[in-house]
Every structure is written in structure tokens, then in C-alpha cells.
């Protein structure tokens, strides 16, 4: 996992797929995001880390409008996120998300979990959707479990299914919110392997994670968040070897021991 | 030394056989032993006389005069009057029609028990069955003599009020539950007001309102069928209770399920239909069935607005001087009918729970 798998993507202004401009968000009186400015390019892979409660989840949940921001602009694939339902639907169709606790649908089989979106949202015929689903299940190496229910799988398997479920919607951008932190240590690798392969195929990925090995080998950029701000943003090499800010250094020393 | 593995060891002797079972379950401890003895004594004193009254000394097809001198139960009150108890004032020689209608209903219910048959054609079968039942009850077409709904009574009326009441109340209750959790204030407030208002009123007063107050608001000359009004009152009443139970189920669904559905791009209706309700309704099967059972029994309250449901027809038989005084037998019979219906419901719900793996 140590060799860096890709160099920095070609950067040009037209390739920006996600743009935050001075984004603020409050939960009641609590100021969670305090002026986020961020540009993410097509094919770029970002890892976000930072202490608990710093607003990492909130930040990525704003990208597909699971949370609403109150000030500033967020533009995803050229569409601005406003209260316009059509825009939100358009963006959700292009953005996949993987959660810490998998959030599979327990009353549906694995295969049904995967075909639900394509059949009901994309209106793809069921047989075709099943074919696609099996393709992605192969890809996350879990095809033989297609007829089982989520409760019958291990955590690592469930998370791989969750990734496959997102991929079935053919998203341009994938968001991961601590995809491995609810897993037993021996299952972390199988999920990270799937994510690394996704990275090799050039998916735009935004990953909230404290898996520093993963960040080093896969990320183009690592962001450090604290108190609702992006404190530091750098290439993994610079970020880990020469952190600029005192807080980053402190945080790194805590998680790297 | 011989090695014994776990499965080699025989169970301790006290645990096997009938004696073992009795020891384990009836005489483990002083309190349990005492309880067992008391219960056995009770059965000893009460059981034999009861059986004698019910079966040995009872009369099954006699006249009422013969009954007056008998020591046992007078089941003749049932055999002499069962047609009136079951069908009320429905014309005597047309009573094959409600019988057939009930048979159709029972067949449909039996078929619907099997979840594997829940397909499109079953829906059509229900549609056809309902039309068939309506035609049979009402008459007026196909050369059938028309029968006014004021003449309907007995078991068909009870089943009609119960089954249609419950079938309509359940979806209405689900909608109300969704409404109560809606983000739209108007819908939310309306649902809350409805649920709390209805739950604050006894069913009896709703039935009175439907029978006496409601017609006052109708223009001169317009009347709405009394049965229909009672039916609507029952539906509105039951729906409020269903709504609260379903709301409990909705609250048990984790937020992550909604978020996953949203992320996939499902809209509100799809999220509810495909993700939330299937899980929520599964959780609330047991409390829902309790409500359905009590609603079924509550249909007997329609006697107070003068509908001849099966309770009222039984009472009428007992009001006849000839059969006066045999109320135990008549009500035992009635209780059996209610029990069969309610037990079937609860039995089915347990089966459904098992199949769905709640
Ligand atoms: N729905 C909410 N209502 C009120 N406060 C919230 C809500 N969700 C999150 N918060 C608060 O906002 C802050 C940021 O939350 P967020 O989940 O973004 O943190 P995080 O960086 O992802 O932390 P963690 O590493 O623990 O997941 C936290 O202090 C949290 O308590
Ligand atoms: Mg978080």
C-alpha cells in the first residue's frame, strides 16, 4: 500500500467538479462549518481528517444535501445546491455515498439492495439492473452472497456491498464517511482494497478517514479540519512529513502514536 | 481413562421422561408445588360438574318447555333460533344469499393467508368477490329479490362492519402516521388534531354522532345508509389508533435508512413504500393485531344505534318469552363465534411474524 498509485491529476479550471465558496453552516446556535473554501477536480482523491466534532461529516454531507448549508455557495458538477429539488436530484444522481454504518436495507437481499436505485430511480429494466449488480458484486468479490440478507454478512462484507450499491448508480463522485471505522481490524483491509481499486480507475473520491496508510498511497491531497475550518491542505508527502500547523502536528502525533 | 466429549454426556436423570418433566415444571420449589396442588383441586371440583352441564345433561334439539325441566345446558335455544341469530331479519327463504356471501368471503380470506399468492390476480379476485357479495346481499339484479339494508343483520353484518372497517382503517391509519411525521406543518397539525380528537372520544359517542347528529347536517330528504354511517365511524375511530401504533414503528427506523434512500435518489413516496414502511409495519404487527382484534369486538357496540349485529340478534332471541332465561347458553355460543374469529386473527399474525422473521 506504500507506492503512490497516481500522480496529481491534470488541473485546469474547467475540470472543477465540486466547489465550496465561503460555506457556513449552523446547527441551531452551533457554528459547525466556518467558511469553507475548497475546489475539487475531476479524478482527484481527497482524504479529510481531523478531530472528532470538527465538521468532517457535515462537510461531505453538504455535497449531496443530506445537510443544508446556510451561507456561501456549493457547486457540484456545474449545478449549484439550492432548495431547488430538481438540482438536488440531479446532484444526488451523480454522487454516491458510503456510510460508517453501511446503512444497507435489512429487509432486502443483497441483490435487491443493489438493484433498488437503478430500477426505481434510473428506470432500468430489472434484468439489466441485476446484470450490472452482479458485475459490481464480482468486483467487490462478494457475488456468491447475492441472495443473502445484509444481517447474514460480516461488517466488512456489508461495507463492500454498500460500495457496490453506490457504484450501481454509476456515480461520477464517491463520498466516503469513515468507511472503515465501524469495522473489526481484520476487515479493514478488504474494504480499503476495494477503495484502492476504485481509485486506480480514476474515480473522484472524497474520503473522511483516519487510515493514514490509505491516505499516503491513494490521496492527491489531505485536508486537516479543526473547529469547522480547513486548517491545512497538502499533498500526503508534505502533509505527513512537514505539517505546517501546530494543531496538525499535535493531531498527527496523537493518531500515529 | 476414557475421554468424554461434550455430546457424550447423558442428561441428568431428573430431566427426562414424564416424571422429570413434572418435577421440572410443576413441583420445582414450594410455591410452585402449592400452586399446582391448588389448581388440581380446583379443576377436580369444578371440572366434572361443568362437563356434566355442558355435555351430559344438556338438551340439543328439544322444545323450550323440555328445557325448563332439564338439569343441563339448553343448547336447543341455539338450534331453534340459529337462523335468526346468524341472519337477523334477512328474509327467511333468501338466507342462502348471505350464507353464500360469507362463504365467498371466507374463501378469499383463506386464499389470502398464503403470502406467496399475493399477486395481481388475487386483487382482481377480491374485486370480483366484493361485487359478488354486494349483489348477493343487496339483490335487485339478475332476478334476485332486492333486500333493503335495514333488513341486514346477524353475522354477515358483524363481518361486514369488521372486515371493511379494518381493511379501510389500516391504510388510513398509515397515512395519518406519515402525516404526523410530515415536515409540512399543515399536514402535520391536521393529523395530530385528528388523531388526538378521535382518541379523546369513546366509540359509542362517535356511533351516536353518526346516527343522530350527523343526519341533522344533511339537507332535507337526503339520507345516508345507517350501516354506512356506522361503518365510517368505526373506520375513523380505528384509524386513529392504528396511526399511533404505526408511528411507533416509524420511529424505530434508524435515520441512516432514510439517508441511504435519499443518497440513492429515491423520492419520498418511494422511500416510504420501499424502505421505511416494509420495515416499520413488520415491527408493529403484534400491536396492530391487538388493535384489530379489539376493533373487531367493538363492532358489537353498533347495537346502541339499533343495528342488528350478531349480539343484538342474540339478545332479541333471549327477549322472546319462550326462550327467556337461557342466556348463558346463547352467550356461550356467541363467545365461541367471536373467539374463533379473533383467535384466527392472532394465529395468523403469529404466522406472519414467523414468516417475516420479526
Ligand atoms: N444534527 C445535528 N444537530 C446538532 N448538532 C450536530 C448535528 N450533527 C452534528 N452535530 C454537531 O456538529 C459537530 C460536527 O459534527 P460532525 O459529525 O460533522 O463531526 P465529525 O468531524 O464528523 O466528527 P466524528 O469524527 O466524530 O465523526 C459536532 O460537534 C456535532 O455534535
Ligand atoms: Mg463524522
Amino acid at each position: 500500500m506504500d507506492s503512490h498509485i497516481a500522480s496529481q491529476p491534470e488541473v485546469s479550471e474547467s475540470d472543477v467538479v465540486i466547489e465550496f465558496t465561503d460555506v457556513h453552516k449552523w446547527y441551531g446556535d452551533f457554528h459547525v462549518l466556518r467558511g469553507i473554501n475548497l475546489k475539487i477536480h475531476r479524478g482527484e482523491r481527497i482524504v479529510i481528517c481531523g478531530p472528532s466534532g470538527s465538521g468532517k461529516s457535515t462537510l461531505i454531507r453538504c455535497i449531496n444535501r443530506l445537510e443544508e448549508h446556510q451561507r456561501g455557495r456549493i457547486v457540484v458538477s456545474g449545478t449549484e445546491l439550492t432548495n431547488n429539488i430538481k438540482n438536488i436530484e440531479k446532484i444526488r444522481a451523480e454522487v454516491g455515498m458510503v456510510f460508517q454504518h453501511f446503512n444497507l436495507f435489512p429487509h432486502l437481499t443483497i441483490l435487491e439492495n443493489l438493484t433498488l436505485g437503478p430500477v426505481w430511480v434510473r428506470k432500468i429494466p430489472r434484468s439489466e439492473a441485476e446484470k450490472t449488480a452482479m458485475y459490481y458484486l464480482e468486483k467487490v468479490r462478494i457475488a456468491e452472497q447475492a441472495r443473502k440478507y445484509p444481517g447474514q454478512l460480516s461488517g466488512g462484507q456489508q461495507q463492500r456491498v454498500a460500495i457496490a450499491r453506490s457504484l450501481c448508480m454509476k456515480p461520477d463522485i464517491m463520498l466516503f464517511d469513515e468507511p472503515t471505522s465501524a469495522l473489526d481490524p481484520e476487515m479493514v483491509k478488504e474494504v480499503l482494497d476495494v477503495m484502492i481499486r476504485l481509485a486506480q480507475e480514476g474515480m473522484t473520491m472524497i474520503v473522511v478517514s483516519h487510515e493514514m496508510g490509505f491516505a499516503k498511497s491513494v490521496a492527491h491531497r489531505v485536508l486537516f479540519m479543526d473547529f469547522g475550518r480547513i486548517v491545512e491542505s497538502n499533498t500526503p508527502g508534505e502533509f505527513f512529513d512537514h505539517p505546517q500547523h501546530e494543531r496538525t502536528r499535535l493531531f498527527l502525533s496523537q493518531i500515529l502514536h | 481413562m476414557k475421554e468424554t466429549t461434550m455430546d457424550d454426556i447423558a442428561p441428568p436423570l431428573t430431566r427426562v421422561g414424564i416424571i422429570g418433566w413434572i418435577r421440572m415444571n410443576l413441583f420445582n420449589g414450594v410455591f410452585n408445588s402449592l400452586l399446582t396442588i391448588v389448581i388440581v383441586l380446583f379443576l377436580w371440583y369444578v371440572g366434572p360438574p361443568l362437563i356434566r352441564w355442558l355435555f351430559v345433561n344438556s338438551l340439543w334439539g328439544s322444545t323450550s318447555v323440555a328445557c325448563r325441566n332439564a338439569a343441563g345446558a339448553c343448547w336447543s335455544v341455539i338450534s331453534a333460533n340459529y337462523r335468526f341469530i346468524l341472519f337477523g331479519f334477512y328474509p327467511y327463504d333468501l338466507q342462502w344469499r348471505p350464507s353464500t356471501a360469507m362463504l365467498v368471503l371466507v374463501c378469499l380470506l383463506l386464499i389470502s393467508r398464503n403470502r406467496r399468492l399475493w399477486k395481481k390476480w388475487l386483487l382482481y379476485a377480491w374485486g370480483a368477490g366484493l361485487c359478488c357479495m354486494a349483489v348477493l346481499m343487496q339483490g335487485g339484479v339478475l332476478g334476485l329479490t332486492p333486500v333493503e339494508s335495514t333488513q341486514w343483520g346477524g353475522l354477515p353484518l358483524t363481518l361486514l362492519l369488521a372486515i371493511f372497517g379494518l381493511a379501510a382503517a389500516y391504510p388510513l391509519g398509515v397515512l395519518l402516521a406519515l402525516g404526523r411525521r410530515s415536515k409540512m406543518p399543515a399536514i402535520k397539525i391536521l393529523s395530530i388534531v385528528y388523531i388526538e380528537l378521535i382518541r379523546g372520544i369513546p366509540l359509542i359517542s362517535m356511533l351516536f354522532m353518526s346516527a343522530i347528529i350527523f343526519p341533522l347536517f344533511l339537507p332535507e330528504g337526503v339520507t345516508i345508509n345507517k350501516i354506512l354511517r356506522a361503518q365510517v365511524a368505526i373506520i375513523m375511530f380505528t384509524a386513529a389508533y392504528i396511526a399511533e401504533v404505526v408511528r411507533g414503528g416509524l420511529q424505530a427506523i434508524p435515520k441512516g435508512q432514510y439517508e441511504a434512500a435519499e443518497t440513492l435518489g429515491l423520492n419520498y413516496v418511494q422511500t416510504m413504500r420501499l424502505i421505511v414502511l416494509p420495515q416499520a409495519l413488520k415491527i408493529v404487527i403484534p400491536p396492530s393485531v391487538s388493535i384489530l382484534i379489539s376493533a373487531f369486538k367493538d363492532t358489537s357496540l353498533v347495537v346502541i344505534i339499533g343495528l342488528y349485529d350478531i349480539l343484538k340478534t342474540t339478545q332479541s332471541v333471549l327477549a322472546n318469552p319462550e326462550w327467556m332465561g337461557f342466556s348463558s347458553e346463547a352467550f356461550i355460543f356467541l363467545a365461541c363465534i367471536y373467539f374463533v374469529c379473533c383467535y384466527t386473527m392472532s394465529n395468523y399474525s403469529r404466522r406472519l411474524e414467523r414468516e417475516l422473521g420479526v
Side-chain angles (χ1 to χ4, degrees):
Chain A
M1 232 165 51
D2 256 327
S3 61
H4 206 101
I5 60 172
S7 54
Q8 202 72 8
E10 290 296 314
V11 174
S12 75
E13 273 310 300
S14 61
D15 262 355
V16 173
V17 283
I18 300 174
E19 181 165 12
F20 280 68
T21 319
D22 193 31
V23 171
H24 290 259
K25 172 167 180 63
W26 289 262
Y27 283 122
D29 283 341
F30 179 60
H31 202 170
V32 205
L33 299 183
R34 307 171 175 225
I36 301 288
N37 286 294
L38 179 63
K39 271 187 196 167
I40 297 169
H41 299 88
R42 183 169 305 285
E44 199 176 9
R45 296 185 289 276
I46 308 267
V47 168
I48 304 177
C49 59
S52 180
S54 56
K56 307 178 296 292
S57 299
T58 310
L59 176 75
I60 70 165
R61 288 157 63 88
C62 280
I63 297 173
N64 64 353
R65 199 61 164 193
L66 286 181
E67 302 289 353
E68 202 176 314
H69 61 285
Q70 279 114 12
R71 221 171 82 194
R73 276 162 54 90
I74 303 177
V75 179
V76 181
S77 300
T79 312
E80 179 169 2
L81 271 170
T82 56
N83 279 326
N84 185 336
I85 292 284
K86 280 273 157 295
N87 284 355
I88 296 174
E89 279 175 3
K90 184 163 171 289
I91 287 169
R92 283 190 181 151
E94 288 168 19
V95 180
M97 184 158 190
V98 174
F99 301 88
Q100 182 175 1
H101 296 288
F102 331 133
N103 296 352
L104 294 176
F105 305 125
H107 62 301
L108 302 177
T109 62
I110 301 306
L111 192 60
E112 288 166 339
N113 264 278
L114 266 67
T115 54
L116 192 79
V119 168
W120 289 90
V121 180
R122 294 242 193 266
K123 314 284 182 205
I124 291 171
R126 181 168 296 278
S127 57
E128 196 181 315
E130 284 184 1
K131 236 181 269 162
T132 316
M134 289 313 292
Y135 169 78
Y136 283 112
L137 282 179
E138 294 285 353
K139 210 168 146 145
V140 299
R141 302 200 179 99
I142 212 163
E144 68 285 356
Q145 317 274 14
R147 304 275 161 200
K148 287 194 182 167
Y149 286 88
Q152 297 167 301
L153 303 190
S154 74
Q157 291 174 321
Q158 289 191 50
Q159 193 60 297
R160 285 185 281 150
V161 171
I163 294 173
R165 179 175 68 177
S166 287
L167 293 177
C168 280
M169 294 297 283
K170 306 267 166 73
D172 293 336
I173 302 165
M174 286 286 286
L175 310 176
F176 295 82
D177 190 357
E178 308 207 26
T180 55
S181 48
L183 299 178
D184 291 336
E186 74 270 21
M187 294 172 189
V188 169
K189 186 173 177 301
E190 66 189 49
V191 171
L192 288 183
D193 283 347
V194 167
M195 291 170 62
I196 289 170
R197 279 204 293 150
L198 205 56
Q200 284 164 342
E201 288 164 16
M203 176 68 78
T204 310
M205 293 165 71
I206 300 154
V207 184
V208 174
S209 176
H210 293 159
E211 293 293 334
M212 291 308 142
F214 174 79
K216 275 182 196 157
S217 66
V218 167
H220 295 122
R221 239 192 313 162
V222 181
L223 307 185
F224 174 69
M225 280 188 77
D226 200 8
F227 292 113
R229 290 200 181 83
I230 296 174
V231 175
E232 185 157 347
S233 161
N234 222 330
T235 59
E238 285 296 304
F239 183 87
F240 291 110
D241 299 338
H242 310 287
Q244 302 294 307
H245 293 262
E246 188 51 42
R247 281 217 297 270
T248 317
R249 249 170 266 150
L250 193 65
F251 176 75
L252 286 177
S253 70
Q254 276 164 359
I255 62 166
L256 299 177
H257 308 296
Chain B
M1 231 214 275
K2 204 180 124 202
E3 215 178 63
T4 41
T5 54
M6 286 291 230
D7 39 16
D8 277 334
I9 302 168
L13 218 57
T14 50
R15 285 170 186 266
V16 283
I18 295 173
I19 293 177
W21 186 89
I22 290 177
R23 268 247 188 103
M24 274 277 291
N25 292 286
L26 300 179
F27 292 99
N28 57 339
V30 178
F31 179 72
N32 251 3
S33 307
L34 260 174
L35 207 63
T36 305
I37 290 167
V38 168
I39 290 172
V40 166
L41 280 179
F42 179 78
L43 289 178
W44 186 260
Y45 277 103
V46 173
L50 190 68
I51 287 168
R52 247 176 284 139
W53 184 78
L54 281 175
F55 301 111
V56 182
N57 297 333
S58 56
L59 293 174
W60 294 80
S62 65
T63 60
S64 61
V65 182
C67 270
R68 302 254 173 232
N69 303 318
C74 174
W75 299 116
S76 315
V77 64
I78 308 298
S79 54
N81 296 298
Y82 77 97
R83 297 274 292 250
F84 184 76
I85 292 179
L86 289 182
F87 299 111
F89 291 110
Y90 207 93
Y92 194 82
D93 43 338
L94 297 180
Q95 285 175 2
W96 64 271
R97 276 161 49 183
S99 316
T100 317
M102 282 197 289
L103 199 69
V104 171
L105 183 67
V106 170
C107 286
L108 282 172
L109 288 174
L110 282 180
I111 295 173
S112 310
R113 274 176 73 97
N114 191 340
R115 261 180 355 110
R116 255 165 298 157
L117 300 180
W118 288 6
K119 306 238 173 71
K120 261 248 165 67
W121 65 264
L122 190 60
L123 218 60
Y124 297 139
W126 269 100
L130 291 182
C131 290
C132 171
M133 281 183 257
V135 166
L136 280 168
M137 292 297 290
Q138 191 98 49
V141 284
L142 304 172
L144 296 171
T145 327
V147 178
E148 285 292 319
S149 67
T150 44
Q151 290 176 288
W152 297 5
L155 190 56
L157 182 62
T158 296
L159 290 179
L160 180 92
L161 288 172
I163 291 179
F164 292 102
L166 305 187
Y170 208 86
L172 184 59
V174 170
L175 287 181
L176 282 168
L178 293 175
R180 188 162 189 169
R181 286 168 59 84
S182 165
K183 288 201 189 83
M184 282 174 272
I187 293 179
K188 183 173 179 150
I189 290 172
L190 223 64
S191 307
I192 293 179
V193 167
Y194 177 92
I195 292 169
E196 295 305 333
L197 206 65
I198 299 280
R199 291 206 307 163
I201 304 176
L203 179 56
I204 294 201
S205 51
M206 286 205 40
L207 288 170
F208 266 130
M209 277 195 272
S210 79
I212 298 158
I213 303 174
F214 181 62
L216 299 179
F217 297 110
L218 289 178
E220 198 82 24
V222 177
T223 54
I224 294 181
N225 184 326
K226 205 173 181 179
I227 295 180
L228 188 62
R229 277 184 276 145
Q231 179 85 81
V232 169
I234 289 173
I235 291 172
M236 288 174 63
F237 185 79
T238 311
Y241 286 85
I242 296 279
E244 282 303 275
V245 164
V246 172
R247 186 166 69 103
L250 291 175
Q251 277 167 349
I253 305 302
K255 212 165 130 241
Q257 293 286 304
Y258 292 90
E259 289 177 353
E262 261 182 66
T263 308
L264 283 179
L266 297 177
N267 62 31
Y268 176 82
V269 175
Q270 290 169 336
T271 305
M272 289 302 155
R273 216 192 103 199
L274 302 167
I275 309 298
V276 178
L277 285 178
Q279 297 183 60
L281 295 185
K282 204 158 88 175
I283 302 173
V284 299
I285 290 176
S288 303
V289 171
S290 295
I291 289 181
L292 296 184
I293 286 177
S294 79
F296 178 76
K297 291 180 292 184
D298 283 351
T299 56
S300 59
L301 290 173
V302 296
V303 297
I304 60 140
I305 58 167
L307 291 181
Y308 272 75
D309 82 322
I310 194 161
L311 177 63
K312 184 67 180 173
T313 54
T314 310
Q315 284 176 334
S316 311
V317 166
L318 294 172
N320 176 349
E322 199 187 340
W323 295 105
M324 219 179 258
F326 298 113
S327 47
S328 320
E329 292 86 342
F331 285 125
I332 287 175
F333 174 66
L334 194 60
C336 288
I337 292 184
Y338 272 107
F339 177 77
V340 167
C341 295
C342 294
Y343 184 72
T344 311
M345 272 196 264
S346 85
N347 207 14
Y348 180 57
S349 89
R350 252 175 294 144
R351 178 173 137 174
L352 206 58
E353 276 172 52
R354 213 171 32 241
E355 278 177 15
L356 297 174
V358 175

